[in-house]
Amino acid sequence: MPSFLPQYPLEPNPLLLFGFLLLAGVIGGEVVQRVLAVPRIVGYVVIGLLLGAGGLNVLDARLTREAWIFVELALGLLLFELGRRLDFTWLKRDAWLAATGVLESALTFWLLFFVLTLFDVSPLYAAVASAIGIATSPAVVMVVAQELRAEGQVTERALNLTAMNSVISFVVVTMLLAGVHHEYRADWGTVVLHPLYLLLGSALLGLLASVLVVGFARWLGKSGREHFVMTLSMIVVTIGAARLFELSVVLALLSFGVLSRNLDRRHDLMPFDPGRLGQMFVVVLFVVSGASLRVEDLVAGGTLAVVFVLTRFVAKSLGVMSFTRFSGVRPGTAGMLCLALTPMSALAISMVRGTTELYPEFGTKLGAIVLSAVLILELLGPIAVDFALRRAGEAVAGQKPSV
Amino acid sequence: MSSSELEFSSSAGATMGVELELQLLNSRDYNLARDAADLLGLLGKTGHPGAVKPEITESMVELNSSVHTSHESLVRELQVLRDAVADAAEQLNLRISGGGSHAFHDWSDRRIFPTERFQQLLKVYGYLAKQFTIFGQHVHVGCPDGDAAIYLTHMFSRYVPHFIALSASSPFQQGSDTSYQSSRLNTVSAFPLSGQIPFVQTWREFTDYFERMRSLGIVESMKDFYWDIRPKPEYGTVEVRVFDTPLTVERAALLGAYVQTLARYMLTERPRTPSRDVYEFYRYNRFQACRYGLEGSLIDAYTERRLSLQEDILATLQIIAPHATAIGAEAALQELAAGVEEGYSDAGWLRQVYGERKSFNDVARLQSELWMGRTKVHA
């Protein structure tokens, strides 16, 4: 063979991978949406499942791992936006909303923990799985809301509750890391310091990024295009820095979002809307998260997964139903909120992956409990949010069925 | 529709009431929100004076004051009402704002409030109904009878440029500076039943006209006329509708006091007789006020001279001063005059904010903080 020809086996490069994922997602999403009339993101997940290790194995475990960086980028973007939605002044004005967030998170953790131990899951696994269960998928809620151009009390409250339970979930999971380290006989320094390093380090990174972004924004003056590029680059740099320092992308970007809004007293930073660029990453996000799940896990852990999903729904609904009416919203809002908080997706997968990187054996067992539930909710969650926002009358009228 | 709709209920002279159409904003980027129904639901549970009602799109609410005889009681009630609405809005993470237009919303995003009347308007007027997301103040003044109401309507027509210039607060539309002080009225003019009352002289003539229009199926009720000034028989009032909603309730009350005092002057002194000539120059004068505000000029139909709008307002305030004293509106009109002398307008304030901040989001935010009483800037 002449040396200028490509050598066999052909080595896929990241660009080819990214483009392929996008293309597969867009085409697959459209097909699934036309055939089943469900939100497109369900289609992306289905394509991921089909291409992934559990399906045709086009995206094998190694490629999925490589593609995970795109998930982190997409998730980072979404978490930044979600963080900017979390409004402390609102939580002060409507204390019942804050109370709802705390109550539904606490109930979800304890009820899941109780039920999982009933099913003979050992306490440490049950605790970490329950902590992961606290979080609603920010990606699903945000993407469905954006695609429906939904606006209103259900949408705004669902997003704020999602931001709250994502933070709480992440903090609890990180604290439980101490238990996992202890289980694997790590030294006391690691047991204590690793969770602290993750929490404080990531929060500090978020703080640094928001101080910088607000400073740059002031210096640039009010120019939409410059603010957009600058904010986007700060997001990417922050994601990269979080990886560099072995910190949490999730917490760093959430705190970046929250602080960049709540510390920007003079409103120097203009509203950030990733628009179509964001949609592109969303496609890849859902295809890859679909590819990292396997249908056969569902067969193995099916009962437990169903129990997990139902318990979580009951716990969240109890929390939401108890307090929401005191916020003075219209009757029916609470019910729609319960549905809107059901999704689990890439955030949960990424938390499982976090433990797998530390202790592969622990991560695999944890995955068996959590990931089959995630699989169910990857498919049902978007449909639930879509239904809730439409039913609440918050989707833009005249929109065709589903996203 | 029964003919009782056209029976003019008599009101005590020189009473007034105010309606304010307000903007509902989100607190994220200060674009228009769509939560009118939730806000009205929450306000229904809390006690407040006056009334709060839905308007044509879900991004608007309307505040109604009660009937007042003095500026002082009006402003006090409006402040209480404003605080109630502002508190309820904040509980839902919304903001409320004055001003005749929203600086950067996209009219095609608007949704019509789901009542039969508003849906019907969408069906008849198409996109105009959504573009009607503009915000006006209506001032009602009491009249003893229908003939007086017709007289007052014609008399007020000469002063329409005053009302426009004093309230102008819609310099921006759809993310651009329109170069107008009040761009809102251009939107109103697109409606086929906008304009002015025909040149009738008595209530009898007016009801004949109305019946003719109704029998031809052009209108169903008085509500279908989008006139700048129209009699409101069931309230026993004349309603001035050309005001942009000012940036504060305090300024809204000042405008109320001006209309009230002017009405008292007209109805007690009857200084002039209605003139068809007023309508000859009407649209030109109205344009001048919309475009240039206080710096515009006005053709006076009675003298056929070109006057400076600013000077004409100041002169009018002098003439009606004794009536202001009689109804306790002296201080209010002095405050109004001071603003006119220094050339103040809400539109100017908005342009100044945009000049400083270079962002329409910031304009909308500061506008809402001003209306909600969270910052003290200008009455």
Side-chain angles (χ1 to χ4, degrees):
Chain A
M1 281 268 256
S3 61
F4 56 82
L5 285 176
Q7 301 295 307
Y8 193 82
L10 297 174
E11 190 58 30
N13 58 54
L15 275 183
L16 187 66
L17 179 61
F18 185 75
F20 173 71
L21 290 171
L22 258 182
L23 198 62
V26 166
I27 295 170
E30 189 63 30
V31 171
V32 171
Q33 199 251 327
R34 285 191 193 180
V35 176
L36 298 177
V38 291
R40 261 194 200 93
I41 51 178
V42 178
Y44 306 151
V45 175
V46 170
I47 289 304
L49 282 167
L50 210 65
L51 295 176
L56 302 172
N57 206 23
V58 179
L59 283 173
D60 58 16
R62 191 180 61 89
L63 275 183
T64 307
R65 217 168 22 247
E66 275 184 18
W68 197 256
I69 188 154
F70 303 132
V71 172
E72 290 201 319
L73 193 52
L75 203 55
L77 260 173
L78 286 167
L79 287 168
F80 173 77
E81 274 189 272
L82 183 70
R84 286 186 65 82
R85 292 270 190 151
L86 186 62
D87 186 347
F88 289 139
T89 51
W90 189 17
L91 297 182
K92 266 185 256 165
R93 296 255 171 218
D94 185 3
W96 288 111
L97 177 63
T100 308
V102 173
L103 181 70
E104 67 93 4
S105 298
L107 279 177
T108 306
F109 180 77
W110 287 113
L111 211 58
L112 270 176
F113 182 73
F114 175 71
V115 171
L116 287 176
T117 48
L118 275 189
F119 276 76
D120 289 330
V121 176
S122 67
L124 185 60
Y125 287 97
V128 178
S130 308
I132 292 174
I134 295 172
T136 299
S137 162
V140 173
V141 181
M142 291 199 67
V143 170
V144 174
Q146 280 167 2
E147 304 255 322
L148 290 175
R149 289 164 69 210
E151 242 184 84
Q153 291 299 309
V154 173
T155 309
E156 297 300 318
R157 283 166 195 271
L159 285 166
N160 271 267
L161 289 172
T162 300
M164 267 189 271
N165 67 28
S166 296
V167 173
I168 294 173
S169 164
F170 192 83
V171 170
V172 176
V173 169
T174 309
M175 292 196 310
L176 287 170
L177 264 187
V180 180
H181 279 307
H182 185 63
E183 177 86 359
Y184 286 90
R185 316 213 181 289
D187 58 292
W188 275 104
T190 309
V191 169
V192 177
L193 291 179
H194 187 218
L196 276 181
Y197 175 73
L198 276 179
L199 289 178
L200 296 181
S202 310
L204 204 66
L205 179 60
L207 175 66
L208 186 67
S210 29
V211 170
L212 282 175
V213 91
V214 173
F216 282 141
R218 186 174 310 167
W219 176 71
L220 283 170
K222 300 273 172 169
S223 160
R225 200 184 341 191
E226 272 63 39
H227 275 225
F228 176 80
V229 176
M230 189 269 297
T231 308
L232 188 66
S233 54
M234 280 304 297
I235 291 169
V236 179
V237 167
T238 310
I239 295 169
R243 289 172 62 96
L244 186 69
F245 295 110
E246 305 276 351
L247 292 167
S248 152
V249 171
V250 173
L251 192 60
L253 268 292
L254 253 180
S255 51
F256 180 20
V258 172
L259 296 173
S260 73
R261 169 174 182 154
N262 289 279
L263 296 182
D264 184 15
R265 296 255 159 74
R266 295 178 21 173
H267 299 263
D268 286 312
L269 185 60
M270 294 176 78
F272 176 71
D273 175 14
R276 294 206 171 144
L277 185 76
Q279 282 174 4
M280 186 172 86
F281 285 108
V282 162
V283 175
V284 177
L285 170 80
F286 284 101
V287 175
V288 178
S289 42
S292 62
L293 299 170
R294 295 190 321 189
V295 182
E296 60 248 44
D297 287 348
L298 190 57
V299 182
T303 320
L304 197 59
V306 173
V307 169
F308 188 100
V309 168
L310 288 178
T311 308
R312 184 170 168 275
F313 180 71
V314 169
K316 289 200 171 292
S317 303
L318 275 176
V320 170
M321 289 294 199
S322 314
F323 283 167
T324 297
R325 62 196 141 115
F326 298 118
S327 287
V329 287
R330 280 186 289 178
T333 302
M336 293 305 120
L337 269 180
C338 297
L339 284 175
L341 292 184
T342 48
M344 285 179 86
S345 178
L347 181 63
I349 302 174
S350 110
M351 288 200 260
V352 173
R353 287 176 66 98
T355 60
T356 312
E357 277 165 23
L358 287 174
Y359 301 108
E361 186 206 342
F362 184 89
T364 311
K365 278 198 203 163
L366 180 69
I369 305 163
V370 177
L371 293 183
S372 40
V374 172
L375 176 54
I376 297 175
L377 290 176
E378 283 269 26
L379 301 173
L380 294 184
I383 300 173
V385 179
D386 186 80
F387 175 83
L389 299 185
R390 282 172 192 281
R391 193 59 186 270
E394 296 185 4
V396 170
Q399 189 104 359
K400 281 195 286 188
S402 76
V403 297
Chain B
M1 196 81 42
S2 69
S3 62
S4 69
E5 195 210 359
L6 289 181
E7 242 165 66
F8 198 93
S9 354
S10 169
S11 321
T15 55
M16 65 171 157
V18 162
E19 300 168 6
L20 291 171
E21 293 162 351
L22 297 167
Q23 315 185 12
L24 217 54
L25 313 179
N26 75 41
S27 66
R28 198 170 57 257
D29 60 5
Y30 296 86
N31 201 342
L32 286 175
R34 294 201 300 252
D35 300 65
D38 286 277
L39 182 64
L40 293 171
L42 182 55
L43 279 164
K45 294 177 200 163
T46 55
H48 59 79
V52 188
K53 295 177 178 170
E55 250 299 328
I56 186 159
T57 65
E58 290 183 334
S59 312
M60 319 168 77
V61 288
E62 181 182 291
L63 304 197
N64 293 359
S65 77
S66 337
V67 179
H68 290 269
T69 51
S70 80
H71 165 260
E72 203 190 330
S73 71
L74 173 68
V75 76
R76 232 181 297 127
E77 186 188 73
L78 284 178
Q79 284 166 339
V80 173
L81 195 49
R82 169 198 65 198
D83 291 344
V85 174
D87 288 346
E90 282 188 327
Q91 196 179 332
L92 300 175
N93 208 21
L94 301 168
R95 302 291 180 267
I96 307 285
S97 163
S101 65
H102 185 272
F104 64 89
H105 87 101
D106 182 344
W107 64 264
S108 62
D109 282 345
R110 301 281 64 83
R111 288 207 318 191
I112 301 298
F113 196 92
T115 66
E116 206 181 315
R117 177 175 146 76
F118 294 139
Q119 294 294 342
Q120 177 64 20
L121 288 177
L122 177 64
K123 219 170 127 192
V124 174
Y125 291 118
Y127 83 124
L128 284 184
K130 290 188 177 184
Q131 292 201 332
F132 212 31
T133 309
I134 44 174
F135 308 85
Q137 171 179 355
H138 302 172
V139 177
H140 288 266
V141 280
C143 283
D145 56 61
D147 290 347
I150 296 296
Y151 172 76
L152 197 57
T153 303
H154 290 313
M155 284 295 103
F156 274 164
S157 288
R158 186 205 173 275
Y159 297 92
V160 158
H162 291 200
F163 304 150
I164 294 170
L166 287 171
S167 67
S169 61
S170 50
F172 305 123
Q173 292 263 9
Q174 312 283 307
S176 295
D177 191 327
T178 60
S179 78
Y180 281 69
Q181 294 287 95
S182 168
S183 66
R184 167 181 153 272
L185 285 171
N186 294 330
T187 312
V188 180
S189 299
F191 285 85
L193 298 175
S194 64
Q196 313 91 41
I197 192 172
F199 197 64
V200 294
Q201 298 304 310
T202 62
W203 188 247
R204 177 80 237 163
E205 278 178 54
F206 177 72
T207 52
D208 289 348
Y209 166 79
F210 179 80
E211 289 302 345
R212 212 167 77 244
M213 299 299 275
R214 187 157 64 186
S215 65
L216 292 169
I218 294 173
V219 296
E220 276 179 24
S221 77
M222 282 293 293
K223 274 187 182 165
D224 295 324
F225 289 117
Y226 289 5
W227 293 334
D228 290 348
I229 306 167
R230 73 181 179 198
K232 183 95 175 169
E234 66 264 43
Y235 291 179
T237 60
V238 166
E239 182 185 10
V240 180
R241 299 150 49 83
V242 287
F243 297 104
D244 281 0
T245 298
L247 296 179
T248 60
V249 291
E250 286 79 8
R251 191 159 178 91
L254 292 186
L255 299 174
Y258 183 48
V259 176
Q260 182 197 19
T261 312
L262 206 53
R264 190 177 194 275
Y265 161 70
M266 304 286 184
L267 291 177
T268 50
E269 295 192 15
R270 299 252 168 180
R272 286 163 177 160
T273 51
S275 158
R276 213 183 268 278
D277 297 347
V278 168
Y279 295 103
E280 202 174 349
F281 308 120
Y282 188 89
R283 289 178 64 85
Y284 176 81
N285 286 338
R286 190 175 181 272
F287 162 78
Q288 280 282 322
C290 287
R291 175 70 178 81
Y292 303 108
L294 293 172
E295 289 168 19
S297 57
L298 177 144
I299 308 292
D300 179 31
Y302 293 92
T303 60
E304 297 218 347
R305 280 177 45 219
R306 182 183 287 269
L307 307 170
S308 137
L309 195 45
Q310 188 176 21
E311 281 167 22
D312 193 53
I313 294 173
L314 290 172
T316 307
L317 283 166
Q318 291 245 311
I319 294 169
I320 64 175
H323 294 275
T325 313
I327 55 174
E330 211 175 358
L333 294 203
Q334 275 165 9
E335 193 180 337
L336 199 62
V340 174
E341 268 167 28
E342 68 180 63
Y344 174 84
S345 73
D346 282 348
W349 188 88
L350 290 166
R351 284 204 171 93
Q352 189 191 335
V353 169
Y354 182 73
E356 283 162 14
R357 305 289 313 188
K358 304 275 191 292
S359 150
F360 286 121
N361 306 91
D362 281 350
V363 172
R365 175 173 58 83
L366 292 165
Q367 199 175 338
S368 71
E369 284 178 8
L370 180 62
W371 192 87
M372 292 168 88
R374 305 299 189 241
T375 48
K376 289 268 169 279
V377 188
H378 204 294

